[in-house]
Amino acid sequence: RIRRANVLLDEIKRYGVDKYGEDWCNIRRAEVRLCRAFSYYRLIRVYGGVVIRTDVSGIKGGLDDGAYQEDIHRARATEAESWNFVISELQWAANYLPESWASTWTGRATKKTAYGLISRMALFAGQWQTAIDAANKVKELGGDLATDYAKVFQVEGGQDNSAEILFALYYKSGSLTHKYDSYNRPFGDRGVYNTGAIYAEHVPTGELADMYEFSDGTAFDWTSYTANHTNPYTDREPRFQATIMYNGSQWEGREIQTYSGGSDSFTPFEQSTSTNGHTCTGYYMRKYLQENNTNFVEKGSYQYDAVLRYAEVLLNKAEAYAQLDYLQYQDLALDALNEVRERVHLPQKTTVDAPNKDAFMALLRKERCVELAGEGFRYWDLRRWRLAENTINEQNAHGVKVTKNSDDTYSYEKVACDGGSTRVF
């Protein structure tokens, strides 16, 4: 992808400018440089410093295509140099990308896309003020949260999500599709749709499910929830309902049954076998599933992947303020965090909840988990915070095994779901 970008940027100088003009070409360059920066971001977050090759980095000043020994044997840049390159590329792109596109081209990168990505990359780079400035630019350009969290992930949810979704991978029913529904729907849908093409390959862990607060903002705890709630699930905050299917949740006119013997029943995970499409945690993924998309087996799925949302930008800004100087900027850090919470009607966090940076970062990490669940952030956040080893290594993920009692009540047992082994980082 980087090489293709470099070739285009090299050849547009010879073949594009005379035919289409410099302004037109600069917009194309901005789109391509943004995509190239995103490719480098994916490399740097894994490897640290990388070899940076561009359309002008060759030893002779042109395309870096390995034609000369000096180019072939170039050393890796440092991690800081690599992040500086990515951020500077996105800043260049932001100058030339349009604020919006005509409806014919909805979905292409805009200034908000570039600034939103800068707010993300700057966290990896430890450039806190850069992250804050970029997040504020997104807001100036119209970034905002959509009203209904659940509908952000629905193709036909009847809600305008354009202010929140700053960049996405879009698909088209009937022509450009994927298999998200087949790989994530609950096991009981096999019987509903008379198909074996439902696999439930990605299921939420108990650790994730337990992070979601009750709707009044109190924390969930298996040992004490019965003091104020008859059911561990029904009074939970809206993001829980929008992200996770659990025993008793409603789905396409039926009730999810993860209890032993139910239509979506739990099957323990073992290292040498498969769960055959059953959940091994007692939960199924709900986020992004398109309810009543009844043709998903024959025609596939076409929901978009929200690569960049304004909610993430707000959380990026909150984290950057805390890292820059929490005691000086705690009100601004809390404001950004609480804007995300207010959308789902949760009470605000205050300086009582977060009297210092460590306390605030604990809140921030939890908020990123529940807001961005299933969107591909958690693992990379743990690495970025240098917490992956402590969080993953020699640990178990857990689920809940549900038993239906003779009086139609349920019993819940916390179980490990790693097949008798612990995890390795």
Side-chain angles (χ1 to χ4, degrees):
R1 291 178 182 178
I2 291 168
R3 185 181 185 280
R4 288 203 303 270
N6 289 344
V7 169
L8 183 142
L9 291 169
D10 178 63
E11 294 189 348
I12 199 171
K13 292 176 283 192
R14 297 196 295 275
Y15 305 118
V17 176
D18 288 347
K19 186 172 183 179
Y20 299 109
E22 196 70 41
D23 290 343
W24 185 93
C25 288
N26 276 338
I27 297 174
R28 303 288 85 70
R29 289 177 176 123
E31 290 183 283
V32 172
R33 288 173 73 162
L34 180 141
C35 290
R36 184 176 66 181
F38 196 84
S39 291
Y40 272 113
Y41 149 71
R42 289 171 60 123
L43 288 172
I44 301 165
R45 70 180 183 178
V46 177
Y47 299 109
V50 297
V51 176
I52 298 172
R53 300 189 184 278
T54 74
D55 54 307
V56 295
S57 65
I59 194 67
K60 301 295 185 181
L63 182 66
D64 191 347
D65 59 1
Y68 300 96
Q69 287 296 313
E70 295 92 333
D71 292 332
I72 293 172
H73 297 295
R74 180 174 296 117
R76 291 165 62 176
T78 66
E79 183 173 353
E81 290 168 342
S82 300
W83 286 125
N84 285 340
F85 169 75
V86 165
I87 291 169
S88 66
E89 286 291 285
L90 291 170
Q91 288 169 334
W92 192 95
N95 288 331
Y96 291 99
L97 285 168
E99 291 188 16
S100 61
W101 290 86
S103 58
T104 310
W105 297 112
T106 297
R108 295 177 81 145
T110 65
K111 288 184 183 295
K112 285 187 292 187
T113 309
Y115 285 119
L117 288 176
I118 291 170
S119 80
R120 181 190 299 180
M121 311 306 176
L123 295 186
F124 282 88
Q127 298 182 24
W128 314 124
Q129 190 62 55
T130 299
I132 293 165
D133 293 344
N136 287 334
K137 286 293 293 185
V138 176
K139 183 175 183 178
E140 289 174 18
L141 290 164
D144 201 1
L145 297 177
T147 303
D148 188 326
Y149 178 83
K151 291 182 179 179
V152 171
F153 309 98
Q154 301 299 308
V155 176
E156 297 165 356
Q159 174 177 270
D160 180 5
N161 294 318
S162 58
E164 175 156 2
I165 297 179
L166 310 178
F167 196 67
L169 300 180
Y170 288 93
Y171 297 82
K172 187 174 182 181
S173 178
S175 58
L176 188 63
T177 60
H178 50 79
K179 297 290 186 181
Y180 187 87
D181 286 272
S182 282
Y183 282 102
N184 292 281
R185 277 176 170 258
F187 182 84
D189 280 5
R190 285 190 177 190
V192 173
Y193 292 98
N194 192 29
T195 179
I198 291 174
Y199 311 107
E201 287 207 348
H202 317 104
V203 293
T205 62
E207 279 75 9
L208 173 63
D210 293 352
M211 283 187 183
Y212 290 90
E213 299 167 16
F214 284 106
S215 56
D216 63 1
T218 57
F220 174 80
D221 190 316
W222 281 109
T223 63
S224 60
Y225 81 89
T226 54
N228 297 300
H229 306 276
T230 57
N231 183 293
Y233 301 130
T234 53
D235 293 331
R236 304 287 279 279
E237 60 126 311
R239 291 176 297 190
F240 178 79
Q241 311 295 338
T243 304
I244 295 177
M245 289 188 201
Y246 51 87
N247 187 64
S249 62
Q250 296 299 308
W251 170 249
E252 293 190 335
R254 70 182 183 90
E255 186 175 279
I256 295 296
Q257 301 173 345
T258 64
Y259 60 82
S260 299
S263 58
D264 309 282
S265 61
F266 164 92
T267 295
F269 173 77
E270 298 178 6
Q271 293 289 343
S272 59
T273 62
S274 165
T275 61
N276 193 34
H278 290 269
T279 175
C280 62
T281 66
Y283 302 109
Y284 290 96
M285 198 71 184
R286 185 172 193 139
K287 183 182 277 191
Y288 278 121
L289 285 181
Q290 304 300 294
E291 196 162 1
N292 298 316
N293 174 23
T294 58
N295 295 318
F296 67 93
V297 176
E298 300 83 8
K299 296 186 177 181
S301 304
Y302 55 93
Q303 55 267 50
Y304 47 71
D305 173 20
V307 175
L308 177 66
R309 296 195 288 120
Y310 185 63
E312 181 211 339
V313 173
L314 284 170
L315 294 173
N316 295 344
K317 180 165 68 170
E319 181 175 345
Y321 272 127
Q323 296 286 12
L324 185 62
D325 188 333
Y326 180 65
L327 293 182
Q328 181 177 352
Y329 298 113
Q330 60 183 353
D331 289 343
L332 293 170
L334 285 164
D335 285 347
L337 181 78
N338 284 326
E339 188 171 344
V340 175
R341 292 174 59 82
E342 286 166 3
R343 192 248 298 269
V344 289
H345 312 297
L346 285 173
Q348 292 190 357
K349 295 296 184 180
T350 69
T351 54
V352 175
D353 303 299
N356 53 52
K357 187 177 84 169
D358 288 344
F360 179 84
M361 286 300 297
L363 294 177
L364 182 281
R365 288 168 181 144
K366 179 179 178 180
E367 202 66 35
R368 284 185 71 93
C369 274
V370 297
E371 174 68 31
L372 304 173
E375 297 178 55
F377 288 91
R378 176 62 172 169
Y379 176 73
W380 302 107
D381 280 346
L382 288 174
R383 286 182 58 132
R384 178 169 62 80
W385 294 322
R386 303 298 192 263
L387 294 176
E389 183 174 1
N390 291 341
T391 306
I392 298 172
N393 200 50
E394 297 185 357
Q395 303 298 316
N396 278 124
H398 294 84
V400 59
K401 182 179 179 180
V402 184
T403 302
K404 188 173 185 179
N405 303 316
S406 58
D407 60 355
D408 288 337
T409 61
Y410 296 99
S411 299
Y412 306 91
E413 177 189 359
K414 183 178 180 179
V415 293
C417 56
D418 291 317
S421 300
T422 55
R423 300 194 167 203
V424 177
F425 178 79

